[in-house]
Amino acid sequence: MSDTRFSKPLIIMLIGSAFILALSLGVRHGFGLYLVPMSTEFGWSHQVFSLAIALQNLLWGAVQPFTGALADKYGSKKVVAVGGALYAIGLLLMSFSSTGVMVNLSLGLIIGLALSATSFSVLLSAVGRAAHPSRRSMAMGIASAAGSFGQFIMLPTTLLLLKEFGWSSALLITAILIALIVPLSLLLKAPMYVAPNNTQSALHPNQPALSFKEILVIAKNHKPFIWLGLGFLVCGFQVVFIGIHLPGYLTDHGFSTTSGTIFLALVGLFNIVGTYTAGWLGDKYSKPKLLMGLYGLRGVAIIAFLALPLSHWTIYGFAVIMGLLWLSTVPLTNGTVANMFGVKYLTMLSGIVFFVHQIGSFFGGWLGGLNHDLTGNYDIIWAISIALSVFGVVVHFFVNEEPVVHD
């Protein structure tokens, strides 16, 4: 029987991935706090900043399969280092942005490209390749939880920087922190796990080499893979809408900016528990069925939040529940892809699924701002979020994680 414990190189990679995701996603989750001060200073409508966020998410997803292919071919370490440098440049340019064009270039284009190289698809795939199959979901859950810890730490830090130094200086300081991703990328060097006795499934690394075109054709014709991607669209729409617009929603109802910041920080804190637990459960139970439960619970939580009288108790209670469900979908979705296709092409295939996620993110971010500008509220987007939860439950009924057999 093979040893399923985490190897020392994998532990080092987990530490490196944890810090990188904490920085990358922690900073990214704080972008919603810049909406009000930047919009107020330059007289922008909410749609200007929301469009930049939507563009960021769309580009992030669109280039993710290509970034994943580069990571599969040349290694995650190089791709993450380049992404970290781009991220810092984007933040520097954002700190000098005074027009919609500039904020779309910096926050939208450059940071969108950077996130494709410094977030889940690249880092979780690297971890997944190095982990024993029976511990893969847990390893991904540990790395995912780190991104949530970054959100918990960086949101109050961002709010403090905004209050003490203003939005421009806060971005300059954040750029320095993000630059640490470049040296941290050197820790991403654990070797790929190879099962003994040639027991890999049909598309695992010791099978005859397939080209990217061949693997894409196989994935395109595999219906459970398509349904999985459509389910991930729901996740993208909901988390970006809530992450970007919930602080504004609370402000509209008379609550302070601090309330929105505490909400997002609590989401990050409890998502540490949620992602780790999801990874642990994913090694024991059906990942598609777990995903059905997660999306169903999100819908119930949103309905309860809107139905109950708005207070600090309901706001923070909603934060705790959503935190447990926030990114728990990530290790389960990526783990399902790994079970379907093996790990050799995991970064690219996870990137394709993530692109669909980011289409949802684009509409969640942009339509939230557009709806607010046109109506002064978010009612339509809340209704869409609830309907999408139902859709998320239904589509995962058609997903299975059985290995794809290649002739």
Side-chain angles (χ1 to χ4, degrees):
M1 182 179 294
S2 61
D3 190 352
T4 62
R5 292 175 299 179
F6 289 172
S7 64
K8 183 176 179 181
L10 175 57
I11 292 172
I12 293 172
M13 175 178 277
L14 278 172
I15 293 171
S17 298
F19 278 108
I20 292 167
L21 286 170
L23 285 168
S24 177
L25 298 180
V27 170
R28 179 247 177 183
H29 280 295
F31 285 143
L33 300 179
Y34 292 93
L35 187 155
V36 173
M38 292 186 72
S39 298
T40 300
E41 180 167 336
F42 300 116
W44 297 338
S45 67
H46 280 204
Q47 189 181 171
V48 174
F49 193 92
S50 297
L51 181 60
I53 290 289
L55 178 63
Q56 175 195 107
N57 282 286
L58 187 63
L59 285 170
W60 177 4
V63 301
Q64 189 69 78
F66 303 100
T67 307
L70 290 172
D72 286 335
K73 186 172 183 179
Y74 299 107
S76 301
K77 181 169 62 175
K78 295 178 181 178
V79 170
V80 171
V82 172
L86 273 177
Y87 206 149
I89 292 169
L91 289 168
L92 287 172
L93 288 176
M94 184 179 170
S95 71
F96 296 105
S97 295
S98 58
T99 65
V101 173
M102 281 298 295
V103 80
N104 276 291
L105 173 65
S106 56
L107 178 61
L109 175 61
I110 297 176
I111 294 179
L113 293 173
L115 283 167
S116 74
T118 59
S119 56
F120 286 126
S121 292
V122 171
L123 289 156
L124 293 194
S125 296
V127 169
R129 274 193 293 268
H132 188 280
S134 68
R135 305 294 295 276
R136 185 177 291 142
S137 289
M138 181 180 288
M140 289 180 173
I142 292 171
S144 299
S148 304
F149 183 73
Q151 180 178 346
F152 174 66
I153 294 296
M154 287 305 301
L155 278 163
T157 301
T158 299
L159 182 62
L160 178 63
L161 291 174
L162 285 167
K163 288 184 174 180
E164 294 295 326
F165 303 105
W167 66 267
S168 183
S169 296
L171 286 167
L172 289 173
I173 296 169
T174 304
I176 295 172
L177 290 174
I178 281 294
L180 295 173
I181 289 176
V182 177
L184 284 170
S185 67
L186 298 175
L187 300 179
L188 307 177
K189 54 185 180 181
M192 181 172 13
Y193 173 83
V194 178
N197 302 322
N198 201 27
T199 58
Q200 301 282 19
S201 64
L203 295 180
H204 281 222
N206 53 346
Q207 291 294 314
L210 295 173
S211 68
F212 285 130
K213 182 178 180 180
E214 289 171 327
I215 196 69
L216 285 172
V217 170
I218 294 171
K220 183 185 70 172
N221 294 322
H222 189 57
K223 290 183 179 179
F225 180 72
I226 296 172
W227 290 119
L228 183 69
L230 290 174
F232 218 20
L233 180 145
V234 177
C235 180
F237 187 99
Q238 292 175 334
V239 300
V240 171
F241 165 60
I242 293 173
I244 296 299
H245 294 289
L246 199 282
Y249 174 82
L250 296 179
T251 301
D252 289 347
H253 287 78
F255 292 87
S256 67
T257 305
T258 302
S259 297
T261 304
I262 294 173
F263 173 90
L264 294 174
L266 284 172
V267 167
L269 177 63
F270 282 89
N271 193 35
I272 297 171
V273 179
T275 49
Y276 176 81
T277 303
W280 177 73
L281 290 172
D283 284 333
K284 298 178 178 296
Y285 304 103
S286 165
K287 286 181 271 294
K289 289 181 179 178
L290 290 171
L291 286 166
M292 290 174 68
L294 285 173
Y295 287 116
L297 288 172
R298 279 191 188 180
V300 172
I302 293 171
I303 292 171
F305 175 65
L306 297 175
L308 292 170
L310 196 60
S311 68
H312 285 104
W313 286 106
T314 57
I315 292 167
Y316 300 148
F318 183 52
V320 171
I321 295 170
M322 286 304 297
L324 293 171
L325 307 171
W326 194 250
L327 295 179
S328 301
T329 58
V330 175
L332 296 175
T333 301
N334 284 4
T336 301
V337 175
N339 284 356
M340 287 177 176
F341 298 101
V343 296
K344 183 172 183 179
Y345 302 99
L346 180 58
T347 316
M348 181 183 67
L349 293 172
S350 295
I352 293 171
V353 175
F354 186 74
F355 174 46
V356 184
H357 177 285
Q358 293 307 91
I359 293 174
S361 298
F362 173 85
F363 286 108
W366 175 57
L367 290 178
L370 179 62
N371 181 216
H372 188 276
D373 287 344
L374 293 176
T375 67
N377 59 57
Y378 296 101
D379 293 350
I380 294 174
I381 310 304
W382 282 120
I384 293 173
S385 295
I386 294 168
L388 284 174
S389 283
V390 177
F391 178 76
V393 173
V394 173
V395 295
H396 283 94
F397 180 79
F398 301 101
V399 177
N400 67 72
E401 49 188 324
E402 295 300 318
V404 177
V405 177
H406 172 60
D407 295 329

